[in-house]
Amino acid sequence: FKIAVLENPSQRRCSTALFLNHGDIQYSVAEEMKRGFVVGNVAKDIGLDPNRLSLRKARLNTDDGGKRYFDINPSTGALTVSETVDREELCGSRMSCALKYELLLEKPLELHGVVVHVEDVNDNAPQFSNGEIALEIHESATKGTAFLLGEAHDADVGKNSVQRYVLQRNGHFSLRTGTNSDGAKYSELVLEKELDREQQREMTFTLTAFDDGYGELVLEKELDREQQRDMSLHLTASDGGSPPRSSSVTIHVNVLDANDNVPVFGLPVYKIGLPENSPLGTPVVTVSAADADEGVNGKVTYEFSRISDAAARSFSLDRNTGEVRVAGLIDYEEEAHYEIGIQAKDGLGLASNAKVIVDITDVNDNAPVIVVKSMSNSIPENAPPGTEVAIIHVHDKDAGGNKQVRCSIQETSSFKLIPSIKKYYSIVTSQELDREIASGYNITVTATDEGTPPLSSSMTIHVSVSDVNDNPPVFEEQSYSAYVSENNKPGSSVCSVTARDPDWRQNGTVFYSLLPSEVSGAPVSSFLSINGDTGVIHAVRSFDYEKFRSLKVQVVARDNGSPPLSSNVTVSIFISDENDNSPQILYPAPAGNTFMTEMVPKAALSGSLVSKVIAVDADSGQNAWLSYQIIKSTDPGLFTVGLHSGEIRALRDISESDSMKQNLVISVKDNGQTPLSATCTVSLLISDNLAEVPDLKDVSYEENNSKLTSYLIIALVSVSTFFLTFLILVLAVRFCRRRKPRLLFDGAVAIPSAYFPPNYAEVEGAGTLRSSYNYDTYLTTGSRTSDFKFVTSYNDNTLPSGLY
């Protein structure tokens, strides 16, 4: 026996980077490398400083969102293995196994294609589908007849696949190898010496396959069924890896009667298109091989001669009919192309091979997938239009038109979607935002493919709008007014101001303060204070209406933003009067001051004005409305006082029987809620001549509380001065005829301006004397119609209005 092996070695490539015209960076790496193995330096290959990778948020993304076997170190730019790659599991029997990635850089957005070629490593030994190969060879087989052997399958590719077969040494067969049109190695058992079934009914061969081939046992010598009934051989298949791997199979040769026709397939290659997601049991193709022999020699059976693990899970073969059916899940995205070897064998062991190629056609069964690659969770409200909010990537696992995707966002006037690079999109602001109107947005992105029917998917991205201090505090009212009674307690609340700021957190936190100013020459802080947190204004001290009646302050509301914003409002505080001042009598002067007496002519008629009480009240309004009342008099029926004017008039005509001396005690009372009052005594002398009065000063010693004492004094004075009075009256009558004398006792008849205290003025309706009038008393004789006369004031500016 002899064996020949045809090799088709593939050259291993080193881990190097290639820069293509379209910008892709290509690397090669052997499969089964451990995690952390450095494939290359991406930053160096694209000409970028590795220190800028983190700043630009460099990341490696898969094109279809699948498993990521490689990753980039953001600090060094090294491309490293993140998951151990099994090329056979990933790419099957395909010679080329490439993983495509996208290197995404931000600020500005930049995209580079990265392709990693996974090179095969000889990690799989050739495997025969069966542990034994049974051949039935007719003893009439002539020398040189070839018998196709079962194919050994190696999951590796290239030189690591089956390269040669070795047959154990024997005296009847040799091994011949060749290459199919698809490059697969095959072997044939060639008969070198005729067989004698009677001597050798069975033979055993050992077939060793060296990766990805199938073998045929070649009859090198004619068999004699009667001499050679059977034999056993060992066939070894080995690959061309380093170190090489191999496996063996035992060939049992049973010598049969003559079978001189080989099954012949109708087509050498069957090409079939199969839609993905075809249900289980769906017929795929029926292969057919014809054998011209009759009986057992012409009965053909079918079996898989070469099939991958994925194809074995997906298809089944009817041994008798040659019908291939769907036996598992058919997914275009998992495997789009299958190559299946089928062997037709007649009843006596002659066989031929055919290939079935199944191309899976895509069905639109995958909706687009939306992946957020970069996103800002919040964006300031003053961000200009065109500010990038998020970067999304949209991909569809389907193919052709089913893979084409249209992307849009739901109607919104605040954001828009801008196509960027390849399948990347940027979500940007389309107008200025206002957090006070909307504090956040839910942006729904919808991706729809162009399949029939189209499939779509949606993703909602929430974007929060962060606050900017762009709103000053606004007071609830344009101005504030408050009323507070005088004599208030220090620290009491006067009023409250409120300002609202629609900004958030510290930008919307409002603090209050008083704008520095002066009130009556004193700082406003000595009168009022404000709670910085609540806006409540408090009185620092007690107010006095008689000193000032109102004040205005400016309140500043300032937020806590950076920089802070503020607004002002005017607060007017009006002091309301309280009845805290008693009436002050200006005329007649209070007891103890200058002695004053009014002269009343004896001829005074009813209603004649004899005097007037002048009083003022520092309060205002009804608290300053004064009323006058006689509470005590020498003769109660002789005089009356005006309720609101204070004018003292004769209630009836003066008679001779009336007492010369009349004392009136007059009470002056204001109209406050709790009225306050003052009293004064008015002394009147009923006389037409000064000489009639013996001693005027005695009048001042009259005791108000004892009428008897008054009568005794008057009698004593009358008796002692009777004679003198007579003489004085005679002289007085003569003197009056020449000149009407002005009777002034100690300057007390006329009311000089000195009696008016400063800052007092007449209040309309208060019943006090106007400042422009004073009273002068004149004594008339010879007529009962004489009365007092008004003359001009001593001083027109006696009572300045001042603050009133």
Side-chain angles (χ1 to χ4, degrees), residues 138-163:
H138 199 275
E139 63 178 339
S140 62
T142 60
K143 182 179 179 180
T145 303
F147 301 91
L148 187 64
L149 300 177
E151 183 180 346
H153 173 70
D154 195 323
D156 296 323
V157 295
K159 71 176 184 178
N160 295 326
S161 63
V162 175
Q163 298 295 315

Tab-separated table of all heavy atoms in Angstrom, residues 138-163:
chain	number	residue	atom	x	y	z
A	138	HIS	N	-16.791	-6.805	-4.489
A	138	HIS	CA	-17.042	-8.058	-5.209
A	138	HIS	C	-15.715	-8.690	-5.585
A	138	HIS	O	-14.766	-8.000	-5.958
A	138	HIS	CB	-17.889	-7.798	-6.448
A	138	HIS	CG	-18.552	-9.016	-6.973
A	138	HIS	ND1	-17.919	-9.888	-7.838
A	138	HIS	CD2	-19.787	-9.531	-6.752
A	138	HIS	CE1	-18.740	-10.880	-8.135
A	138	HIS	NE2	-19.892	-10.685	-7.488
A	139	GLU	N	-15.713	-9.975	-5.507
A	139	GLU	CA	-14.456	-10.682	-5.795
A	139	GLU	C	-14.036	-10.568	-7.256
A	139	GLU	O	-12.869	-10.746	-7.583
A	139	GLU	CB	-14.591	-12.156	-5.426
A	139	GLU	CG	-15.630	-12.913	-6.231
A	139	GLU	CD	-15.689	-14.393	-5.864
A	139	GLU	OE1	-14.680	-14.862	-5.303
A	139	GLU	OE2	-16.708	-15.021	-6.117
A	140	SER	N	-14.986	-10.148	-8.061
A	140	SER	CA	-14.635	-9.999	-9.478
A	140	SER	C	-14.018	-8.661	-9.791
A	140	SER	O	-13.747	-8.345	-10.947
A	140	SER	CB	-15.892	-10.201	-10.338
A	140	SER	OG	-16.867	-9.209	-10.020
A	141	ALA	N	-13.882	-7.820	-8.738
A	141	ALA	CA	-13.290	-6.501	-8.969
A	141	ALA	C	-11.905	-6.656	-9.555
A	141	ALA	O	-11.102	-7.475	-9.102
A	141	ALA	CB	-13.224	-5.734	-7.660
A	142	THR	N	-11.643	-5.875	-10.587
A	142	THR	CA	-10.361	-5.955	-11.295
A	142	THR	C	-9.346	-5.067	-10.621
A	142	THR	O	-9.680	-4.129	-9.856
A	142	THR	CB	-10.530	-5.531	-12.757
A	142	THR	OG1	-11.005	-4.204	-12.796
A	142	THR	CG2	-11.494	-6.471	-13.470
A	143	LYS	N	-8.122	-5.343	-10.923
A	143	LYS	CA	-7.032	-4.556	-10.368
A	143	LYS	C	-7.171	-3.106	-10.832
A	143	LYS	O	-7.421	-2.841	-11.987
A	143	LYS	CB	-5.693	-5.157	-10.818
A	143	LYS	CG	-4.492	-4.431	-10.251
A	143	LYS	CD	-3.201	-5.092	-10.723
A	143	LYS	CE	-1.995	-4.368	-10.201
A	143	LYS	NZ	-0.732	-4.999	-10.661
A	144	GLY	N	-6.953	-2.189	-9.918
A	144	GLY	CA	-7.073	-0.759	-10.225
A	144	GLY	C	-8.417	-0.167	-9.910
A	144	GLY	O	-8.601	1.048	-10.042
A	145	THR	N	-9.371	-1.039	-9.512
A	145	THR	CA	-10.684	-0.484	-9.138
A	145	THR	C	-10.535	0.361	-7.877
A	145	THR	O	-9.892	-0.048	-6.905
A	145	THR	CB	-11.688	-1.604	-8.888
A	145	THR	OG1	-11.776	-2.417	-10.066
A	145	THR	CG2	-13.044	-1.044	-8.526
A	146	ALA	N	-11.154	1.535	-7.907
A	146	ALA	CA	-11.051	2.480	-6.772
A	146	ALA	C	-12.372	2.500	-6.012
A	146	ALA	O	-13.451	2.491	-6.600
A	146	ALA	CB	-10.702	3.871	-7.258
A	147	PHE	N	-12.255	2.551	-4.715
A	147	PHE	CA	-13.426	2.608	-3.832
A	147	PHE	C	-13.339	3.909	-2.986
A	147	PHE	O	-12.362	4.115	-2.240
A	147	PHE	CB	-13.477	1.382	-2.922
A	147	PHE	CG	-13.542	0.086	-3.672
A	147	PHE	CD1	-12.372	-0.606	-4.034
A	147	PHE	CD2	-14.775	-0.447	-4.035
A	147	PHE	CE1	-12.444	-1.786	-4.732
A	147	PHE	CE2	-14.825	-1.652	-4.727
A	147	PHE	CZ	-13.670	-2.328	-5.089
A	148	LEU	N	-14.356	4.725	-3.161
A	148	LEU	CA	-14.379	5.996	-2.429
A	148	LEU	C	-14.622	5.732	-0.953
A	148	LEU	O	-15.533	5.013	-0.582
A	148	LEU	CB	-15.483	6.912	-2.975
A	148	LEU	CG	-15.512	8.330	-2.427
A	148	LEU	CD1	-14.243	9.073	-2.836
A	148	LEU	CD2	-16.756	9.066	-2.917
A	149	LEU	N	-13.772	6.326	-0.125
A	149	LEU	CA	-13.861	6.123	1.312
A	149	LEU	C	-14.668	7.248	1.977
A	149	LEU	O	-14.846	8.330	1.428
A	149	LEU	CB	-12.457	6.073	1.933
A	149	LEU	CG	-11.556	4.952	1.399
A	149	LEU	CD1	-10.181	5.065	2.045
A	149	LEU	CD2	-12.187	3.605	1.680
A	150	GLY	N	-15.102	7.009	3.181
A	150	GLY	CA	-15.789	8.048	3.950
A	150	GLY	C	-14.878	9.245	4.196
A	150	GLY	O	-13.684	9.102	4.449
A	151	GLU	N	-15.433	10.423	4.141
A	151	GLU	CA	-14.633	11.654	4.256
A	151	GLU	C	-14.382	12.016	5.707
A	151	GLU	O	-15.255	11.884	6.560
A	151	GLU	CB	-15.386	12.816	3.579
A	151	GLU	CG	-14.616	14.125	3.585
A	151	GLU	CD	-15.407	15.215	2.903
A	151	GLU	OE1	-16.393	14.877	2.219
A	151	GLU	OE2	-15.051	16.387	3.060
A	152	ALA	N	-13.168	12.437	5.973
A	152	ALA	CA	-12.822	12.946	7.300
A	152	ALA	C	-13.066	14.453	7.314
A	152	ALA	O	-12.686	15.167	6.381
A	152	ALA	CB	-11.377	12.630	7.635
A	153	HIS	N	-13.679	14.932	8.365
A	153	HIS	CA	-13.997	16.363	8.465
A	153	HIS	C	-13.149	17.016	9.548
A	153	HIS	O	-13.006	16.494	10.655
A	153	HIS	CB	-15.487	16.554	8.804
A	153	HIS	CG	-15.830	17.975	9.083
A	153	HIS	ND1	-15.844	18.951	8.108
A	153	HIS	CD2	-16.195	18.585	10.253
A	153	HIS	CE1	-16.194	20.093	8.649
A	153	HIS	NE2	-16.407	19.907	9.946
A	154	ASP	N	-12.553	18.141	9.193
A	154	ASP	CA	-11.759	18.927	10.137
A	154	ASP	C	-12.350	20.338	10.183
A	154	ASP	O	-12.495	20.987	9.144
A	154	ASP	CB	-10.294	18.974	9.705
A	154	ASP	CG	-9.396	19.472	10.836
A	154	ASP	OD1	-9.834	20.374	11.581
A	154	ASP	OD2	-8.263	18.981	10.949
A	155	ALA	N	-12.704	20.811	11.384
A	155	ALA	CA	-13.311	22.142	11.506
A	155	ALA	C	-12.348	23.256	11.163
A	155	ALA	O	-12.769	24.373	10.856
A	155	ALA	CB	-13.842	22.351	12.936
A	156	ASP	N	-11.027	22.950	11.193
A	156	ASP	CA	-10.058	23.964	10.808
A	156	ASP	C	-10.078	24.149	9.299
A	156	ASP	O	-10.694	23.374	8.556
A	156	ASP	CB	-8.660	23.560	11.288
A	156	ASP	CG	-8.585	23.499	12.810
A	156	ASP	OD1	-9.236	24.354	13.449
A	156	ASP	OD2	-7.915	22.603	13.329
A	157	VAL	N	-9.401	25.216	8.869
A	157	VAL	CA	-9.367	25.527	7.441
A	157	VAL	C	-7.913	25.649	7.006
A	157	VAL	O	-6.990	25.715	7.813
A	157	VAL	CB	-10.152	26.825	7.138
A	157	VAL	CG1	-11.624	26.648	7.434
A	157	VAL	CG2	-9.573	28.008	7.886
A	158	GLY	N	-7.726	25.717	5.655
A	158	GLY	CA	-6.389	25.905	5.110
A	158	GLY	C	-5.506	24.708	5.367
A	158	GLY	O	-5.924	23.562	5.264
A	159	LYS	N	-4.282	24.986	5.713
A	159	LYS	CA	-3.341	23.895	5.929
A	159	LYS	C	-3.658	23.114	7.185
A	159	LYS	O	-3.145	22.001	7.387
A	159	LYS	CB	-1.916	24.436	5.998
A	159	LYS	CG	-1.616	25.227	7.245
A	159	LYS	CD	-0.157	25.629	7.270
A	159	LYS	CE	0.203	26.344	8.556
A	159	LYS	NZ	1.637	26.705	8.601
A	160	ASN	N	-4.501	23.709	8.070
A	160	ASN	CA	-4.887	22.992	9.278
A	160	ASN	C	-6.002	21.992	9.016
A	160	ASN	O	-6.411	21.266	9.922
A	160	ASN	CB	-5.334	23.985	10.358
A	160	ASN	CG	-4.209	24.877	10.817
A	160	ASN	OD1	-3.056	24.448	10.858
A	160	ASN	ND2	-4.521	26.119	11.142
A	161	SER	N	-6.539	22.004	7.821
A	161	SER	CA	-7.570	21.025	7.486
A	161	SER	C	-6.901	19.721	7.032
A	161	SER	O	-5.682	19.586	7.059
A	161	SER	CB	-8.475	21.581	6.385
A	161	SER	OG	-7.731	21.795	5.199
A	162	VAL	N	-7.705	18.762	6.587
A	162	VAL	CA	-7.166	17.450	6.179
A	162	VAL	C	-6.218	17.630	4.987
A	162	VAL	O	-6.584	18.227	3.969
A	162	VAL	CB	-8.300	16.486	5.807
A	162	VAL	CG1	-7.739	15.181	5.263
A	162	VAL	CG2	-9.168	16.224	7.041
A	163	GLN	N	-5.012	17.141	5.143
A	163	GLN	CA	-4.013	17.282	4.111
A	163	GLN	C	-3.603	15.943	3.476
A	163	GLN	O	-3.276	15.901	2.297
A	163	GLN	CB	-2.763	17.966	4.692
A	163	GLN	CG	-3.026	19.376	5.198
A	163	GLN	CD	-3.411	20.315	4.076
A	163	GLN	OE1	-2.775	20.310	3.013
A	163	GLN	NE2	-4.472	21.079	4.284
